[in-house]
Structures are given as C-alpha cells and as structure tokens.
Amino acid sequence: DQQVKQNSPSLSVQEGRISILNCDYTNSMFDYFLWYKKYPAEGPTFLISISSIKDKNEDGRFTVFLNKSAKHLSLHIVPSQPGDSAVYFCAASVHGYGGATNKLIFGTGTLLAVQP
Amino acid sequence: ETGVTQSPTHLIKTRGQQVTLRCSSQSGHNTVSWYQQALGQGPQFIFQYYREEENGRGNFPPRFSGLQFPNYSSELNVNALELDDSALYLCASSLPLGEQYFGPGTRLTVT
C-alpha cells in the first residue's frame, strides 16, 4: 500500500522556467509534509516542509503548496537551474508529541533534469 | 558542525551472513532513524532510536535490530541476510520531531 505517491518518474525543464513536482497521499492522518532532494552517492537533503495547518510555504526559489481536500502537494522551483537536477522525494509524517516517532513515509521520487 | 556520517560506504556480503552498519549523528541530535532504499524506490522506515531506546519500528522483521549509544551514534544489525536486503541503508539524525538530516548511506550488496 503506497501511502505517498509520485506518479511522474521524471521531468525535464528548461533552465529559467518553472519546475512543478507533484505528490499525492492517501493517509488523512498525515499532518506534516517534506521535500527532499537527492544527488547520486549522497543522502537525501532536506529542502522545505509544510504543516497541514498551512496551504503554502516559501523558501527562496522553492514553494510548496498543500491541498488537503485533494490530498495533494506540489513543489514549485522558480527559476529552475541546472544544479537543481536531482531526484526529488516527497515525504509525509504524523507528528507525535514529546519524542514520539516521526517516521517519514516517502514517495518513489521524481528525477528532475534542468536543461541549460 | 559535523554532519551525519555512515560507515562503511559499500559492503558485499553472502546470503545468510550478518552485517553491522554504523552511523554517527549530527552534533546535538539525540534521535537516529534508519531507512532502507531499494533500487527505484523511496526510503522505507526501519526504526528510530531516541535516548538509546527503540522509539518506533516499520514493517521489518526482527532480524533487523539496532542500538544507540550514549553519544547518540547508532548501529543497524541485520542477521541471516537475504538477497532482497541488497539496498542503500540511510541513517538520519534529528532532534525529536525535528527535521531529519541524512547521511550518505551504506550500499549493501548480498550475493
């Protein structure tokens, strides 16, 4: 049962344009969502997160949008740069309290290629 | 500030053997989580350690076990290795409920 889905295995975008990566989830208990970027031979790097009480969070060129009714989130990268080429993972968790487990449930990833 | 480190980088084992993977958490982090990433998949949660106690476990059999030490470093042990255990094993450290910072991973190949 894949609770977090990234239906696009790959995406190709021209430098300077917008990259939009999509993610769907099925578990309505998820209340915290994250995006990670992964280069080959490196571990995932945290990019940006959003709590379920918000519908948008921005950090520089990266913006995450959350649509709870549709159980959908997206990551927008504007403008896209060749250095953004990597695998992007969407992840979700149920935030607990006081040391409780915040295990991350990951999607299968989307390979973004930004063409110069 | 030192990031999350893992050792070894690569490992080749034979089916039925046992393996120990190691992780040093980022300075100040007292929570360590382990994930398994099979080829073409996203990372899957194995378990988490908080203050030397297991603090949640994913859908992995008991032959996957771990330890956390007083300095918050951690080990992942896998007994009776199977071919399907071949994967990238990722360690992440954090403060409780904080953002998880990942190490580079250990690539395990079981033949």
Side-chain angles (χ1 to χ4, degrees):
Chain A
D1 177 30
Q2 190 73 22
Q3 297 185 68
V4 177
K5 300 177 186 178
Q6 293 177 257
N7 292 318
S8 298
S10 63
L11 175 68
S12 183
V13 169
Q14 286 295 120
E15 181 179 4
R17 307 294 290 267
I18 185 171
S19 295
I20 300 176
L21 297 101
N22 294 303
C23 178
D24 297 295
Y25 62 95
T26 58
N27 189 343
S28 56
M29 296 295 292
F30 288 145
D31 59 2
Y32 198 66
F33 304 88
L34 309 91
W35 285 93
Y36 281 84
K37 176 170 74 172
K38 188 177 186 303
Y39 294 118
E42 294 184 13
T45 302
F46 169 73
L47 263 181
I48 191 168
S49 62
I50 188 167
S51 164
S52 60
I53 62 173
K54 294 185 173 183
D55 55 19
K56 178 182 173 181
N57 189 26
E58 284 181 89
D59 184 1
R61 296 186 298 115
F62 302 92
T63 303
V64 56
F65 295 92
L66 175 63
N67 182 335
K68 282 188 296 181
S69 61
K71 293 191 177 69
H72 177 84
L73 65 155
S74 60
L75 174 67
H76 292 209
I77 307 173
V78 183
S80 302
Q81 300 173 354
D84 295 331
S85 298
V87 177
Y88 287 77
F89 289 101
C90 167
S93 71
V94 179
H95 251 201
Y97 299 91
T101 307
N102 59 328
K103 70 177 184 179
L104 297 177
I105 309 297
F106 282 86
T108 52
T110 296
L111 175 62
L112 173 65
V114 180
Q115 310 296 334
Chain B
E1 185 180 88
T2 308
V4 179
T5 60
Q6 292 185 243
S7 62
T9 306
H10 295 92
L11 202 52
I12 300 174
K13 289 285 190 178
T14 303
R15 191 171 47 184
Q17 286 188 316
Q18 178 265 343
V19 69
T20 297
L21 310 181
R22 295 178 174 82
C23 171
S24 291
S25 59
Q26 185 167 311
S27 176
H29 287 178
N30 57 11
T31 302
V32 173
S33 305
W34 285 93
Y35 293 81
Q36 178 197 67
Q37 186 181 8
L39 202 60
Q41 301 297 315
Q44 280 201 292
F45 177 77
I46 303 174
F47 44 56
Q48 183 182 85
Y49 279 82
Y50 169 64
R51 292 186 175 177
E52 303 178 55
E53 299 273 342
E54 188 179 288
N55 184 42
R57 189 178 183 92
N59 190 25
F60 281 81
R63 58 190 186 83
F64 285 77
S65 63
L67 281 174
Q68 187 179 31
F69 300 98
N71 66 354
Y72 304 128
S73 66
S74 177
E75 285 183 356
L76 164 65
N77 299 291
V78 187
N79 293 322
L81 283 166
E82 299 177 1
L83 297 179
D84 284 350
D85 295 334
S86 295
L88 179 68
Y89 287 85
L90 294 161
C91 163
S93 77
S94 65
L95 294 171
L97 304 182
E99 310 307 348
Q100 296 186 24
Y101 293 86
F102 285 82
T106 294
R107 172 72 62 187
L108 173 65
T109 302
V110 182
T111 62

